[in-house]
Amino acid sequence: MLVFLLKRKRFLFSALFLIVLFTGSIIHTVFNDGEISQVKFHTDKKGNIIDSPPYPPLTEFFFGSERYGYDLGQIVLEGAKWTIGVTFIVVIFRMVISIFLSSFIYSLNNRMYNGLKTIFEPFSVVPQTIIAYFILYSVLWMPIDGFPQPFWQRAIFETFILVIIAIPNLTIHLSSEMRLVKQETFIEASKILGSSKLYIFFKHIIPHVYEKWILLFGQQFIQTLQLLAHLGFMKLFFGGTFVPYGGPIEEPPHSVSYEWSGLVGGNISYLYNDQWIVLVPIVFFITTAICVALVNDSFKDYFQNKNVIQLKKNVK
């Protein structure tokens, strides 16, 4: 499989982009202590200010600067570990928990299974963004006297909520796929031969659904990125939204970390004047989602190619 994937340029480019971006963010934090380069202003020989931030791209910095003169490229790089890392962790827990639960649910009788589907139905109707917003607002929006909880507690709580809100729909989806395989004739034949439920699950069910699990991982990754972006537009940033009470009127709420949804949502007011401040993190958001989609597409090509080869062998 690895050889097949490495021959696909879209997989190679996409995987390298994600790995380099995430690794570069970790290296920047470890070896540079997360410090961001800053140019406050330019003066002439007499000390008069002749230029001040924000600086456009390709001037002081390649991606330009934000309103205080900090390098926007370094800010995005610093936030990559949060955006990509948290999304990866959320999806891992979503998939593991849902697979575990669906392995029990899929074998229920129709009455009980349909009852569970009825209970979980509201989670597929109400957008996850709305559910997450109402649960997270009281924790992530900074009160006037500051956050009562430290950053790590808020981050863990948000991660937990982002995982839990997807479990009902994802579990029903995975169990439905398993139930389709369960209806196949070879499953019935295996039961007649005396196979146990555990043997059937590992020997017959998993081999027929694991490819869909891998593809679903990429889809959930993109969905989680979108959820973070939506929360960012609603001013709820990962780990907490810092609200400058009593500060300058023009200073909007901003993220306590450099994760990308905070960079977008906190700077959305600059979209009409200094567009690059918002567009740079948006471009990285979109590029990351495209790279994940291309990786997913490469896996899909591999599975299709493998199935075609297997079919030809069976025909012979």
Side-chain angles (χ1 to χ4, degrees):
M1 180 174 69
L2 184 60
V3 175
F4 179 91
L5 294 175
L6 291 177
K7 289 181 180 179
R8 296 295 184 272
K9 293 181 180 179
R10 62 179 182 271
F11 173 84
L12 197 59
F13 170 80
S14 301
L16 282 175
F17 175 82
L18 296 172
I19 293 171
V20 169
L21 190 59
F22 181 77
T23 306
S25 181
I26 298 294
I27 292 174
H28 183 269
T29 301
V30 173
F31 292 98
N32 200 35
D33 200 27
E35 294 292 329
I36 309 296
S37 301
Q38 182 187 28
V39 176
K40 294 183 178 180
F41 49 78
H42 290 292
T43 59
D44 58 17
K45 294 181 180 179
K46 296 181 180 180
N48 299 317
I49 297 177
I50 58 176
D51 194 14
S52 61
Y55 302 109
L58 303 177
T59 54
E60 288 297 329
F61 306 109
F62 183 81
F63 291 107
S65 78
E66 43 85 86
R67 59 186 177 273
Y68 296 118
Y70 288 101
D71 183 358
L72 196 54
Q74 286 189 29
I75 290 176
V76 170
L77 179 64
E78 182 67 17
K81 66 179 180 294
W82 291 111
T83 307
I84 298 176
V86 168
T87 303
F88 186 82
I89 291 172
V90 167
V91 177
I92 282 289
F93 276 100
R94 281 183 178 185
M95 293 299 298
V96 170
I97 295 173
S98 297
I99 289 172
F100 176 78
L101 293 177
S102 60
S103 64
F104 292 98
I105 293 175
Y106 89 97
S107 59
L108 295 176
N109 59 57
N110 291 335
R111 184 177 179 180
M112 294 181 65
Y113 184 78
N114 291 332
L116 281 177
K117 288 184 67 175
T118 302
I119 295 173
F120 292 156
E121 187 70 27
F123 292 93
S124 63
V125 177
V126 181
Q128 291 183 6
T129 304
I130 302 299
I131 299 174
Y133 180 83
F134 283 108
I135 295 175
L136 294 173
Y137 181 85
S138 60
V139 176
L140 298 185
W141 190 265
M142 189 184 81
I144 194 169
D145 54 348
F147 288 112
Q149 307 91 4
F151 172 80
W152 66 270
Q153 288 185 3
R154 300 193 303 271
I156 291 177
F157 179 74
E158 182 174 0
T159 302
F160 173 77
I161 296 301
L162 295 180
V163 171
I164 293 301
I165 59 176
I167 295 301
N169 287 338
L170 194 54
T171 300
I172 290 298
H173 176 74
L174 292 174
S175 61
S176 296
E177 296 290 343
M178 293 180 185
R179 287 173 73 87
L180 289 175
V181 178
K182 183 185 175 184
Q183 295 173 5
E184 297 290 340
T185 55
F186 62 84
I187 298 293
E188 193 63 33
S190 183
K191 290 180 180 179
I192 294 173
L193 292 173
S195 300
S196 65
K197 290 184 178 180
L198 199 62
Y199 177 86
I200 291 174
F201 178 75
F202 285 102
K203 191 68 176 179
H204 298 299
I205 302 293
I206 290 182
H208 282 80
V209 296
Y210 83 93
E211 295 179 0
K212 295 179 180 178
W213 292 352
I214 294 175
L215 298 178
L216 192 59
F217 184 94
Q219 295 172 8
Q220 285 294 311
F221 195 100
I222 296 174
Q223 185 186 92
T224 305
L225 278 178
Q226 291 176 339
L227 179 56
L228 286 173
H230 293 164
L231 290 174
F233 277 107
M234 300 171 78
K235 304 296 184 183
L236 280 188
F237 311 139
F238 182 80
T241 301
F242 181 85
V243 184
Y245 296 104
I249 297 176
E250 68 275 7
E251 185 177 358
H254 56 268
S255 174
V256 296
S257 64
Y258 290 123
E259 52 86 25
W260 298 343
S261 67
L263 299 181
V264 176
N267 296 310
I268 197 67
S269 59
Y270 291 89
L271 187 59
Y272 301 102
N273 296 321
D274 306 310
Q275 295 89 347
W276 67 88
I277 299 178
V278 182
L279 293 179
V280 168
I282 286 178
V283 167
F284 274 88
F285 247 124
I286 294 173
T287 305
T288 300
I290 291 174
C291 287
V292 173
L294 290 175
V295 169
N296 223 35
D297 194 53
S298 299
F299 275 105
K300 186 176 180 180
D301 285 348
Y302 169 75
F303 294 140
Q304 289 177 345
N305 184 71
K306 186 188 73 170
N307 292 335
V308 169
I309 293 174
Q310 187 65 39
L311 183 62
K312 288 180 178 178
K313 289 182 178 178
N314 293 336
V315 171
K316 291 179 179 180

